[in-house]
């Protein structure tokens, strides 16, 4: 293409040949239509100018093929194991209180066991001692749970909601059942007789709230 146009531009006498070159290589349909109308001064001037543009326009550069980018492989670094938070500082007074309760219960249980094996013990007394030993076992388990709570959270758990503030009927019935069962045990243990008035008062309060 370039050599033919350059050759024509060197001797631009044949207008028709120049028009043919532009028809073959020129991009503008407007100029193609103009040149088909015949030779005029304006048409010849425009034809020479436009063919010069075609020769002067460099061919698009062919860029070298870029090497294919291979994504970098990153070694997966394992995350460090979650660091367990440090346990909270334990309240010494709370810990001492629970340990004292636990020791007192275990001492009492050992003493009751010794009494249980004493010679000449009446059957009725033996039964009372056995029931108390069973109760102590339950209290030891409860105190152990309390000790775990203190070690895990650093303090004693918040106290239960007072019965006078409880409005849920299900919770009231649960407390009533527990108190009635506990009252039966306490009645069998003369040493815990002092606890009965408070229990009776609590039972009476719950029953009144359930009726209201």
């Amino acid at each position: 293409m370039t050599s033919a146009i350059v050759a024509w531009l060197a001797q631009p006498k044949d207008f028709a040949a120049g028009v043919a070159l532009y028809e073959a290589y020129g991009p503008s349909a407007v100029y193609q239509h103009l040149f088909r109308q015949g030779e005029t001064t304006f048409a010849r001037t425009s034809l020479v100018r436009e063919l010069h543009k075609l020769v002067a326009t460099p061919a698009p550069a062919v860029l070298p093929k870029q090497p294919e980018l291979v994504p970098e492989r990153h070694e997966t670094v394992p995350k460090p194991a979650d660091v367990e938070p440090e346990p909270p500082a334990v309240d010494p007074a709370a810990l001492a209180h629970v340990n004292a309760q636990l020791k007192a219960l275990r001492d009492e249980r050992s003493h009751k066991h010794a009494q249980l094996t004493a010679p000449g013990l009446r059957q009725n007394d033996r039964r009372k001692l056995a029931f108390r030993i069973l109760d102590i076992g339950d209290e030891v388990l409860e105190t152990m749970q309390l000790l775990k709570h203190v070690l895990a959270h650093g303090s004693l758990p918040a106290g239960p909601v007072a019965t006078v503030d409880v409005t849920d009927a299900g919770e009231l019935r649960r407390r009533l059942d527990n108190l009635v069962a506990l009252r039966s045990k306490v009645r069998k243990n003369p040493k815990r007789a002092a606890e009965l008035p408070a229990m009776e008062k609590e039972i009476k309060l719950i029953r009144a709230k359930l009726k209201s």
Side-chain angles (χ1 to χ4, degrees), residues 10-204:
Q11 293 182 343
K13 294 180 180 180
D14 189 348
F15 180 80
V19 172
L21 288 172
Y22 194 85
E23 286 279 350
Y25 306 114
S28 174
V30 174
Y31 280 117
Q32 289 175 357
H33 178 72
L34 171 66
F35 301 149
R36 291 191 200 112
Q37 302 305 311
E39 183 177 358
T40 63
T41 303
F42 175 75
R44 173 173 282 277
T45 303
S46 298
L47 177 61
V48 172
R49 183 185 67 243
E50 294 303 314
L51 288 175
H52 268 293
K53 287 182 180 180
L54 293 177
V55 175
T57 303
V62 178
L63 298 177
K65 185 177 181 181
Q66 296 293 329
E68 184 178 355
L69 296 178
V70 179
E72 295 183 10
R73 296 183 63 182
H74 298 282
E75 295 293 333
T76 303
V77 180
K79 293 183 179 180
D82 293 337
V83 179
E84 294 185 2
E86 294 185 4
V90 177
D91 181 5
L95 185 60
H97 174 72
V98 176
N99 281 330
Q101 281 186 325
L102 196 56
K103 183 179 184 302
L105 287 169
R106 286 170 173 168
D107 288 347
E108 183 184 357
R109 183 169 58 183
S110 297
H111 181 64
K112 297 298 182 186
H113 271 295
Q115 289 180 318
L116 193 61
T117 58
L121 187 65
R122 292 184 300 177
Q123 186 66 29
N124 189 43
D125 293 335
R126 187 183 301 276
R127 187 180 297 110
K128 289 180 180 179
L129 286 171
F131 282 136
R132 178 55 189 154
I133 290 171
L134 292 174
D135 290 342
I136 292 173
D138 293 338
E139 293 175 25
V140 167
L141 292 177
E142 292 176 2
T143 308
M144 288 295 295
Q145 292 299 320
L146 193 61
L147 179 61
K148 288 182 180 180
H149 185 281
V150 171
L151 294 175
H153 302 282
S155 60
L156 292 168
V161 179
T163 301
V164 69
D165 296 323
V166 176
T167 57
D168 181 68
E171 174 63 15
L172 287 170
R173 291 191 185 93
R174 187 189 68 80
R175 293 191 181 194
L176 180 61
D177 292 342
N178 290 341
L179 279 170
V180 170
L182 181 59
R183 182 180 61 181
S184 298
K185 293 181 179 180
V186 171
R187 282 175 174 173
K188 297 174 183 177
N189 185 0
K191 291 185 178 181
R192 300 183 66 183
E195 301 176 27
L196 283 173
M199 288 185 186
E200 296 289 359
K201 183 179 179 180
E202 189 82 354
I203 290 172
K204 184 178 180 180

